[in-house]
């Protein structure tokens, strides 16, 4: 990511993505690259930070460096605010849908006057954060979910209409009286009550239906939180959305449905990396204060 300035130095941020379970591979890589000659500190946040701390002795032995842990949600929001300030980057966007919800067009969104907004962080869990300023936020609520990386690969090939009972299965098409489209979910996994429909459904269809249920629930809860907090901007972030256009499209659809078109699902270009950036920024700021 270019056009960034940290600690008075302008340059490019580089990201390497690997699972936290590969921490020992990271240690070998850091050792082979002689990382201690250019840095004496590793900043860590999120679940992976605990793994780093658990292996702190080996870190010091192998690469001669210290670990500084930072709060996950503090780092997330710090990273969002920092990257958004790196002009002329256009970080925020949403998807415009066509009338049939078949085509999604990526559209920039001006996030320069963001506050207040709701941040929905989707990772191994889900946190709803009401953000009032760069330094003021509170966690409203949250839900739990598991990793969906493998399931999403299946979901991209599946048809949730073979698993979920849709409005068209009940009324034969649209239900105009209540503005319900034929493809609206009436009952998640509702078709699985029927034996012959169960036999038609493949793993891909079940994965797609699961993802539809999850994104519908997340969007519904996010919309209720935003209404309760009187917020008009809802930003979805987190590792769950990294390289995951399908879930972004489904959240776009769900938010449009639950809010009746009054709220947009907003996303950010560098999904999954804000916590990493934020804890570095926090470390540099705290280091300056102690100097």
């Amino acid at each position: 990511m270019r056009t960034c300035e940290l600690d008075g130095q302008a340059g490019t941020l580089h990201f390497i993505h690997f699972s936290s379970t590969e921490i020992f591979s990271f240690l070998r890589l850091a050792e082979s690259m002689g990382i201690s000659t250019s840095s004496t500190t590793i900043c860590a946040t999120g679940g992976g930070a605990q793994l780093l701390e658990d292996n702190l002795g080996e870190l010091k032995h192998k690469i001669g460096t210290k670990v500084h842990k930072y709060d996950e949600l503090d780092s997330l929001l710090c990273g969002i605010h920092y990257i958004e300030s790196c002009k002329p980057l256009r970080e925020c966007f949403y998807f415009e849908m066509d009338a049939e919800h078949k085509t999604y067009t990526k559209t920039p969104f001006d996030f320069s006057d963001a506050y207040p907004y709701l941040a929905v962080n989707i990772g191994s869990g889900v946190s709803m954060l009401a953000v009032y300023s760069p330094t003021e936020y509170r966690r409203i609520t949250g839900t739990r979910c598991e990793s969906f990386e493998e399931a999403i690969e299946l979901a991209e090939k599946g048809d949730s209409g073979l698993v979920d009972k849709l409005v068209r299965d009940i009324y034969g098409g649209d239900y105009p009286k209540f503005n319900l489209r034929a493809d609206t979910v009436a009952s998640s996994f509702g078709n699985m009550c029927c034996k012959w429909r169960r036999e038609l459904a493949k793993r891909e269809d079940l994965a797609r239906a699961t993802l539809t249920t999850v994104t519908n629930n997340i969007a519904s809860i996010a919309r209720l939180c935003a209404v309760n907090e009187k917020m008009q901007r809802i930003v979805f972030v987190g590792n769950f959305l990294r390289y995951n256009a399908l879930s972004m499209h489904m959240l776009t659809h769900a938010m449009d449905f639950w809010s009746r078109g009054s709220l947009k699902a907003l996303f950010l270009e560098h999904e999954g990396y804000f916590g990493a950036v934020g804890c570095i920024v926090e470390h540099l700021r705290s280091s300056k204060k102690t100097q």
Side-chain angles (χ1 to χ4, degrees), residues 111-150:
F111 202 59
S112 57
D113 184 22
Y115 308 104
Y117 70 90
L118 186 76
V120 182
N121 185 35
I122 313 174
S124 56
V126 180
S127 291
M128 310 280 176
L129 310 174
V131 186
Y132 304 103
S133 75
T135 58
E136 183 186 4
Y137 76 91
R138 65 185 180 92
R139 186 179 186 272
I140 301 172
T141 187
T143 59
R144 297 296 301 174
C145 63
E146 300 297 329
S147 172
F148 284 94
E149 289 184 1
E150 182 179 354

Side-chain angles (χ1 to χ4, degrees), residues 231-245:
M231 293 177 169
Q232 295 298 312
R233 300 176 184 85
I234 303 177
V235 184
F236 293 90
V237 297
N239 284 331
F240 176 74
L241 297 175
R242 183 170 51 199
Y243 313 128
N244 188 356

Side-chain angles (χ1 to χ4, degrees), residues 71-89:
D71 180 82
E72 180 178 4
L73 299 181
D74 287 347
S75 298
L76 168 70
L77 296 177
C78 180
I80 291 174
H81 301 152
Y82 169 74
I83 292 178
E84 179 58 31
S85 71
C86 294
K87 305 303 181 186
L89 291 177

